[in-house]
Amino acid sequence: MNVVLFHKGKLPEYITTTLYQIKKYNPYIDIYLISDNNPNSKMCKYVNLNELISEYVSYFTKSEFYINEPNPLWRTSVERFFYIHTLIDKFNLVNIFHFDNDVW
């Protein structure tokens, strides 16, 4: 199994707790963290957002669908699925599990 996490922006302190809790109960799985900030953690495989450019990511990045939405949470909540899709393709991953980082 593979766990994929996504976070855009400054990494919150609870990311370490999330990684720890995943590894505590699943020590042999791979955790991929897609982010624009490196956590410098041995518990996960960090993948920079800039390494995951694809047709889907580019299309969404150029989209103006959320242009009038003042809360960036909504755009980022949708955006992560395009990055996760690209990560799965790039690394040929199967058996993926994804959840929000603050659910531990």
Side-chain angles (χ1 to χ4, degrees), residues 8-25:
K8 192 171 184 179
K10 184 180 178 202
L11 290 172
E13 290 185 26
Y14 62 74
I15 274 290
T16 302
T17 303
T18 301
L19 294 170
Y20 175 79
Q21 290 296 327
I22 294 169
K23 281 295 190 180
K24 179 179 177 180
Y25 296 102

Side-chain angles (χ1 to χ4, degrees), residues 15-67:
I15 274 290
T16 302
T17 303
T18 301
L19 294 170
Y20 175 79
Q21 290 296 327
I22 294 169
K23 281 295 190 180
K24 179 179 177 180
Y25 296 102
N26 304 282
Y28 303 109
I29 65 169
D30 288 327
I31 303 172
Y32 293 83
L33 174 63
I34 303 169
S35 181
D36 49 355
N37 286 288
N38 190 338
N40 296 313
S41 174
K42 293 181 182 180
M43 291 185 281
C44 68
K45 296 178 180 185
Y46 167 69
V47 181
N48 190 292
L49 292 173
N50 296 323
E51 297 174 23
L52 297 176
I53 301 305
S54 70
E55 173 185 352
Y56 302 108
V57 170
S58 296
Y59 181 78
F60 186 77
T61 302
K62 294 174 186 171
S63 167
E64 295 183 4
F65 186 77
Y66 290 95
I67 199 162

